[in-house]
Amino acid sequence: MKFARNAQSLDASYIREILSAANQPEMISMAGGLPASSLLPVELVRATCESLADNSHLFQYGNSQGFGPLLDTLQRSSKTQNPWLICNGSQQALDLIARALLEPGDQVIAEMPAYLGALQVFQLSGIKVCPLMSSTSGPDLDQLESYLKGGNIKLFYSVPDFHNPTGRVWSTETRIAVAKLCRHYGVTLVEDAPYRELRFAGEQLDTVSEHCPELSISLKSFSKIGFPGLRVGAMSGPADFIAVAERIKQATDLHTGIPQQAMIEALLNHPEFSEHLTRLRQGYQSRYQHLSDALQQQLGDLVQFDTVEGGMFVWLTLTQGNSSDVAARALQHKLAVVPGAAFYPADMALENSALRLNFSNTEPALFPEAVNRLAQALQPMALTA
Ligand code: PMP
């Protein structure tokens, strides 16, 4: 069969491949971006699940825009009047954005390293990614402005809260400055925020979109605060954009499944939902603390990392060695981690000094052993001796 050019060039996701290795017995996986299985709020939707069979209307075709009660819930919690579209995860929102706004050869800006799933969508659509460097307070604003000044940028794809893979959060000043720049140059901002609710320290900051709602598209995921397996996410944006994205969604899959939207709606409106979020944040804070302590105690000067105030990831910089080699050796020691190179487009200068460590899906007591395995992977000479 002759495949389309963009399909031929789409790289297999390193993470999906490593996830299959991660299922091996005795493997400790810090590779995926999975929420803690033990903290999934199954009890909060048990009654809804049990009553599904009594609600046959939920099994009919539905609206492309989404299940009415879920749309109402989202609208009630919105700070803007922008309408919502329910998607199969926020991943589908990225695909719909690309199809609604971008032509092959168009340029988008993305912070590097970047969320791999967004890079795949851009690659599949033949989009050129302009890499934007970032630091602990957010993207390099001078570089951002020089890209915007060039005049060929269609949109800026951003993850301002607990970035995947770096765990970084943009400062308030950066948020305001980015909104101002996008306004000045008339460039669409895509704000992807699946980890925003997972803050366990520090203060919640405004979204960037609040400062420029007329040209922002905000993505919401229910995978990290609810259930990734249900594949429900959403996006809001200017009404003309949402109308076009809805037509594309209709042509793609008609609509997202109604029973799973009803389950998410029940979860969000459950009286114990905010307690669930508190439990989740505490659980992740404890995991992060165990990981951070183990890294400092066992690896000391061999690694560096910035503290994180939420999310699911630590971006670990190795002071020596190549991170792809270390990740490969870690697998032999039954520890799965993702090397930094996986978060760059294939044709870009490769990162070889960092690893992404996920801390949400490992039980706290396992971190000393996980870091011990990483220490062994960092010292192959000592091992073979
Ligand atoms: N954006 C980012 C930054 C992510 O990390 C992820 C998933 N890990 C997604 C979008 C997609 O999430 P979902 O489709 O499950 O909502």
Side-chain angles (χ1 to χ4, degrees), residues 32-34 88-94 114-118 157-159 161-165 192-195 219-224 227-229 231-234 312-313 356:
L34 278 63
N88 283 324
S90 50
Q91 186 67 31
Q92 186 182 41
L94 291 170
Y115 167 51
L116 187 64
Y157 168 71
S158 69
V159 185
D161 289 290
F162 312 116
H163 182 269
N164 178 3
D192 188 6
Y195 307 100
L219 271 54
K220 195 161 183 66
S221 171
F222 302 109
S223 297
K224 316 298 176 183
F227 308 99
R231 308 306 306 128
V232 182
M312 294 184 165
F313 305 110
R356 187 190 75 174

Side-chain angles (χ1 to χ4, degrees), residues 295-314:
L295 288 171
Q296 279 163 15
Q297 284 158 16
Q298 296 187 48
L299 299 183
D301 293 344
L302 290 177
V303 296
Q304 286 167 352
F305 61 98
D306 292 321
T307 53
V308 298
E309 296 189 330
M312 294 184 165
F313 305 110
V314 166

Side-chain angles (χ1 to χ4, degrees), residues 51-103:
S51 68
L52 279 178
D54 300 322
N55 287 293
S56 58
H57 66 281
L58 296 176
F59 294 86
Q60 257 304 358
Y61 281 122
N63 293 332
S64 296
Q65 191 186 354
F67 179 54
L70 179 55
L71 288 168
D72 292 344
T73 300
L74 289 172
Q75 207 69 58
R76 275 200 303 277
S77 65
S78 274
K79 289 200 176 157
T80 74
Q81 291 305 309
N82 280 346
W84 287 88
L85 174 67
I86 311 293
C87 306
N88 283 324
S90 50
Q91 186 67 31
Q92 186 182 41
L94 291 170
D95 180 53
L96 296 176
I97 290 167
R99 291 204 267 162
L101 299 178
L102 303 172
E103 317 274 358

Side-chain angles (χ1 to χ4, degrees), residues 103-316:
E103 317 274 358
D106 276 352
Q107 299 186 22
V108 306
I109 301 172
E111 296 158 277
M112 289 295 143
Y115 167 51
L116 187 64
L119 293 180
Q120 284 184 310
V121 166
F122 296 140
Q123 190 186 353
L124 194 56
S125 313
I127 306 303
K128 181 175 174 340
V129 174
C130 301
L132 178 61
M133 295 307 122
S134 73
S135 66
T136 46
S137 61
D140 179 332
L141 295 173
D142 292 335
Q143 193 188 17
L144 175 63
E145 179 152 27
S146 80
Y147 277 135
L148 296 174
K149 247 188 205 148
N152 293 320
I153 301 296
K154 278 284 185 70
L155 61 81
F156 174 16
Y157 168 71
S158 69
V159 185
D161 289 290
F162 312 116
H163 182 269
N164 178 3
T166 62
R168 289 176 183 153
V169 176
W170 295 7
S171 67
T172 298
E173 295 71 32
T174 301
R175 287 165 198 253
I176 294 170
V178 168
K180 206 167 149 194
L181 283 172
C182 288
R183 274 198 158 136
H184 183 78
Y185 291 98
V187 166
T188 302
L189 175 84
V190 173
E191 183 167 21
D192 188 6
Y195 307 100
R196 184 169 162 79
E197 284 92 353
L198 300 182
R199 177 179 280 284
F200 48 68
E203 293 290 314
Q204 188 74 296
L205 306 175
D206 287 353
T207 60
V208 186
S209 307
E210 283 167 49
H211 296 284
C212 53
E214 75 287 3
L215 37 71
S216 292
I217 301 171
S218 305
L219 271 54
K220 195 161 183 66
S221 171
F222 302 109
S223 297
K224 316 298 176 183
I225 56 172
F227 308 99
L230 291 185
R231 308 306 306 128
V232 182
M235 69 173 153
S236 74
D240 58 344
F241 163 74
I242 292 293
V244 171
E246 184 185 336
R247 279 210 298 279
I248 300 173
K249 170 139 176 93
Q250 200 170 68
T252 306
D253 60 6
L254 299 185
H255 63 77
T256 294
I258 312 292
Q260 48 270 53
Q261 293 188 66
M263 284 162 68
I264 292 296
E265 190 264 328
L267 174 68
L268 299 180
N269 288 311
H270 195 287
E272 286 168 33
F273 180 60
S274 67
E275 281 167 44
H276 157 65
L277 286 182
T278 305
R279 248 194 326 273
L280 197 59
R281 292 179 189 126
Q282 288 169 346
Y284 290 175
Q285 180 167 35
S286 156
R287 286 164 166 77
Y288 166 65
Q289 206 50 58
H290 280 78
L291 171 62
S292 166
D293 292 349
L295 288 171
Q296 279 163 15
Q297 284 158 16
Q298 296 187 48
L299 299 183
D301 293 344
L302 290 177
V303 296
Q304 286 167 352
F305 61 98
D306 292 321
T307 53
V308 298
E309 296 189 330
M312 294 184 165
F313 305 110
V314 166
W315 186 244
L316 194 73

